[in-house]
Amino acid sequence: MIFQREFKRGRKSLLIWSVILGGLIVGLLSMFPQFAEQQESLSKMMEAYPESMQKAFGLDELSLGTLMGFYGIEVHMMTTLLGSIYAAMLASNILAKEENEKTIEFLLSKPITRSQIVAQKLGVVIVNILIFNSVAAAAGLIGFQFAKDHDVPYETFALLIIAAILLHFTFAAISFMLSSVMKKTRNTLSASIALVIAAYFLNMISGISEDLDVLKYFSPFTYADASSIIKEDAINILYLVMMAAVILFSILAAFMVYQKKDISV
């Protein structure tokens, strides 16, 4: 009951975000052939950029003139950022809104436990994120049709999609935990969005200087970085473990907090 209700309430937002991201992906990949034709001039132009800027955007390891390089710099970066914002927005409201909208007492009067409430709402978050990323993956496959003269390394593409999904789950899990703690959706949403933006800039700043390299471990965006995935053709095991640990800890914390939470309206 809760799952169906929440999914219906969020399907319009899911549709809007998915259509926008899918359209942007296809639009960007449709421009790749032009970049590929001008690869030499692009390389010279990129060399003129400050070294710190090249590192911040991955231009030191990837090339806009190659299909995966273009995808990593333009598409993957946009997918991870927009997807993380969507995941944070979705998860940050889903528990807290029951108290914020004064509907929690009615919900708890039904023959359902708090654990079932948390589980079903978490299920909605998981399903929505998977649908969102499925649309992104489909849009990528459609966009690749514009690059008919270039081979598509589908295994690398799959790794980038998996990394994006795990990143979105990471931010969603943290936001879900915050939603179990806070009562006001405005506060939860603000904190979740701020977390995503701060993590994004930490990732960019960490690439500017070796002295700031340690900052990358505090940003989940580093764990889904396109340049390292494309270069190694694998997702770093340490990053996988760190994302899994954050996801599991946040979800378990959400269940535990919500079980003991003093819920009043």
Side-chain angles (χ1 to χ4, degrees):
M1 178 184 71
I2 294 176
F3 180 92
Q4 293 176 338
R5 185 192 67 171
E6 289 296 338
F7 186 76
K8 287 181 179 179
R9 291 176 69 176
R11 62 186 177 185
K12 182 177 180 181
S13 175
L14 172 63
L15 178 63
I16 292 172
W17 277 88
S18 298
V19 168
I20 290 174
L21 179 63
L24 288 172
I25 291 174
V26 173
L28 283 170
L29 288 174
S30 69
M31 295 187 293
F32 168 71
Q34 300 174 6
F35 281 82
E37 290 176 2
Q38 303 173 13
Q39 183 172 359
E40 186 175 342
S41 58
L42 277 173
S43 297
K44 292 181 180 179
M45 184 177 69
M46 294 298 114
E47 290 174 0
Y49 284 12
E51 185 178 350
S52 59
M53 183 177 292
Q54 292 183 37
K55 289 183 177 179
F57 290 96
L59 297 172
D60 59 324
E61 296 184 356
L62 299 178
S63 171
L64 288 170
T66 63
L67 182 57
M68 278 294 102
F70 183 87
Y71 184 91
I73 294 171
E74 297 290 343
V75 179
H76 184 73
M77 184 179 295
M78 178 186 63
T79 301
T80 52
L81 179 57
L82 291 182
S84 295
I85 292 174
Y86 168 71
M89 291 176 62
L90 172 67
S92 65
N93 284 329
I94 203 159
L95 281 174
K97 68 183 178 184
E98 299 294 349
E99 292 176 80
N100 188 71
E101 297 173 0
K102 314 295 184 183
T103 58
I104 187 61
E105 287 188 348
F106 171 77
L107 188 60
L108 291 176
S109 68
K110 300 294 182 181
I112 189 170
T113 65
R114 292 191 184 193
S115 293
Q116 289 174 324
I117 293 173
V118 176
Q120 291 193 42
K121 285 178 175 284
L122 177 61
V124 173
V125 173
I126 293 172
V127 169
N128 280 21
I129 290 175
L130 290 176
I131 293 174
F132 178 83
N133 280 278
S134 296
V135 172
L141 293 174
I142 293 171
F144 287 148
Q145 302 310 307
F146 292 98
K148 294 180 179 179
D149 297 332
H150 298 262
D151 293 331
V152 180
Y154 288 106
E155 290 185 4
T156 304
F157 172 66
L159 288 173
L160 290 171
I161 294 297
I162 292 170
I165 292 173
L166 290 173
L167 177 67
H168 299 160
F169 277 148
T170 300
F171 282 112
I174 297 172
S175 300
F176 191 74
M177 178 180 64
L178 292 176
S179 187
S180 72
V181 175
M182 300 180 178
K183 295 184 178 182
K184 298 294 184 181
T185 54
R186 182 183 301 175
N187 297 338
T188 312
L189 180 60
S190 299
S192 298
I193 298 300
L195 176 67
V196 173
I197 300 302
Y200 180 74
F201 280 107
L202 274 179
N203 180 52
M204 291 186 64
I205 293 171
S206 68
I208 293 177
S209 169
E210 291 185 1
D211 297 332
L212 301 174
D213 188 62
V214 68
L215 293 177
K216 70 182 183 181
Y217 295 106
F218 297 94
S219 172
F221 282 98
T222 302
Y223 310 154
D225 181 62
S227 58
S228 62
I229 293 173
I230 294 172
K231 184 179 179 180
E232 302 295 333
D233 204 21
I235 303 175
N236 189 301
I237 296 298
L238 174 61
Y239 294 164
L240 283 174
V241 172
M242 292 178 74
M243 282 192 285
V246 171
I247 292 169
L248 289 175
F249 172 82
S250 299
I251 291 175
L252 288 174
F255 273 94
M256 293 174 64
V257 168
Y258 208 75
Q259 282 283 6
K260 300 179 180 180
K261 188 177 183 180
D262 179 19
I263 297 177
S264 58
V265 294

